[in-house]
Amino acid sequence: MKGLALQIMAVFNLDVPAAITAAAAQDAASPPEVRRQSLKLLASQHPQATERRAVLSTLLRDKSQPALRIEALQQLITIDPAAGIAAAGDLITGGRLAEQQAAVAQLAAAQHPEADVRLAALLTPAGDASGAALDIRLDVLEAAAVRAATAPALAAALAARTKTLEASTDLLAALTDCVTGGDPAAGKEIALNHLAANCVACHRFQKGAGSQVGPPLESIGRLHPAPYLLEALANPSAVIAPGYGMATVTLKDGTTLAGTILSETPDKILLRQPDGVEVSAAPSAIEGRTPPISVMPPMHGILTPRQIRDVVAYLETLMAKPDSAGAGEH
């Protein structure tokens, strides 16, 4: 009832005394969303109230309520940038992942020299070793890119990083920031519904549903770590699961066979052609063959780095018991 009353007051902009909304925001017995709504109501109706600053400080110290800490940080930065930037630094150092990522976003939104200094520090090698930075490195890069036009230090740090990546021969170097820190819920939405990626056209993410053109993925998180999953998205041909991947076999009589290699023994190689017909050939009859390649396009040309990071996080959650030893390979 209290939550509904607060929502009605907010919708109709009914005047509520600052003391009441402040008390509601700090009421530990109330659901977090009710408290967050109270905090927003306090900000909209009493932006200069003395109670507001005290409430924000209290909520920022409450480590049990991440959503409230994020809302409090956003409000504090608007009324006191210096204090808010300091609080953002504290969340980046000791907060949960969602709080760390929100704090980085708030540093970019602050448009304040001190915020730029903190972002630049997170871009340095020392910043990468700070513990939190690995999970939020992509967030830091995106925030720095937002501010680079007006912050020379950030522009220089980004330019140095770009130069390092360009000098590297590692295909995955530019995507190393996508290994950790993703949102599994967002990744699931991309995997199941992103039209350009069209993952469901080839893969099965849940038992009994999806396509079998490509390997089933309902067990992929059980079988492989995040770096493997990232490589599978960025360079699908790096590792080909048995029974998947297209190859061309040229026979000594000039015949060419193209299809998926289903099996290979000392006596014969078995392929499934694109039309579904299976053909075989004896090794002694083969003149040459190409290594198998994946028909899956590299996802870094279709998805943004943030989306790739989210998909990796989602794939890590797929822990169903595999139906067979090869299930879940890419």
Side-chain angles (χ1 to χ4, degrees), residues 11-330:
V11 169
F12 291 99
N13 198 29
L14 302 179
D15 187 30
V16 184
I20 293 178
T21 50
Q26 297 179 89
D27 184 2
S30 296
E33 185 54 35
V34 172
R35 297 174 66 184
R36 196 165 72 94
Q37 190 68 44
S38 302
L39 193 58
K40 287 186 173 183
L41 199 60
L42 179 64
S44 64
Q45 294 191 354
H46 307 284
Q48 304 302 323
T50 55
E51 294 93 339
R52 185 184 178 202
R53 179 61 181 270
V55 170
L56 296 178
S57 297
T58 299
L59 294 180
L60 280 168
R61 292 194 298 269
D62 186 358
K63 297 183 179 181
S64 67
Q65 300 295 337
L68 284 173
R69 294 180 86 188
I70 291 171
E71 178 67 31
L73 174 65
Q74 182 176 349
Q75 291 194 23
L76 182 59
I77 282 185
T78 62
I79 63 175
D80 188 342
I85 291 167
D90 292 339
L91 286 185
I92 291 171
T93 301
R96 301 178 186 181
L97 177 59
E99 296 169 336
Q100 294 167 351
Q101 293 177 334
V104 171
Q106 287 303 311
L107 288 178
Q111 300 186 20
H112 190 282
E114 179 57 30
D116 295 337
V117 169
R118 290 181 179 267
L119 287 174
L122 288 170
L123 281 173
T124 64
D128 283 345
S130 66
L134 182 61
D135 284 345
I136 63 172
R137 193 158 48 190
L138 180 60
D139 302 272
V140 173
L141 289 169
E142 291 178 345
V146 170
R147 296 289 300 134
T150 55
L154 287 176
L158 285 175
R161 185 177 185 278
T162 299
K163 184 177 180 180
T164 299
L165 290 177
E166 289 176 346
S168 173
T169 58
D170 183 2
L171 176 65
L172 297 179
L175 295 175
T176 54
D177 307 317
C178 303
V179 174
T180 61
D183 179 351
K188 181 177 181 179
E189 176 65 23
I190 295 166
L192 299 184
N193 297 309
H194 194 285
L195 295 179
N198 200 20
C199 303
V200 293
C202 294
H203 296 290
R204 185 175 72 234
F205 295 93
Q206 298 176 343
K207 288 189 175 182
S211 172
Q212 299 187 48
V213 173
L217 300 178
E218 65 264 40
S219 305
I220 193 72
R222 175 194 294 269
L223 299 173
H224 298 294
Y228 180 100
L229 302 177
L230 177 61
E231 182 181 50
L233 292 168
N235 184 16
S237 293
V239 179
I240 303 294
Y244 300 94
M246 297 294 293
T248 299
V249 175
T250 303
L251 304 183
K252 293 178 179 178
D253 64 4
T255 303
T256 298
L257 305 176
T260 300
I261 298 178
L262 298 179
S263 64
E264 188 171 358
T265 68
D267 298 322
K268 70 175 181 179
I269 181 172
L270 180 64
L271 293 88
R272 181 172 56 225
Q273 299 181 119
D275 59 4
V277 176
E278 295 182 5
V279 294
S280 63
S284 59
I286 296 175
E287 178 72 26
R289 56 188 287 187
T290 64
I293 60 171
S294 175
V295 298
M296 172 180 162
M299 286 294 106
H300 63 78
I302 298 172
L303 301 177
T304 66
R306 177 173 288 270
Q307 289 174 322
I308 290 176
R309 184 177 70 170
D310 290 340
V311 173
V312 169
Y314 169 56
L315 294 177
E316 284 189 287
T317 70
L318 300 180
M319 294 287 185
K321 186 177 180 180
D323 293 327
S324 62
E329 300 283 347
H330 79 280

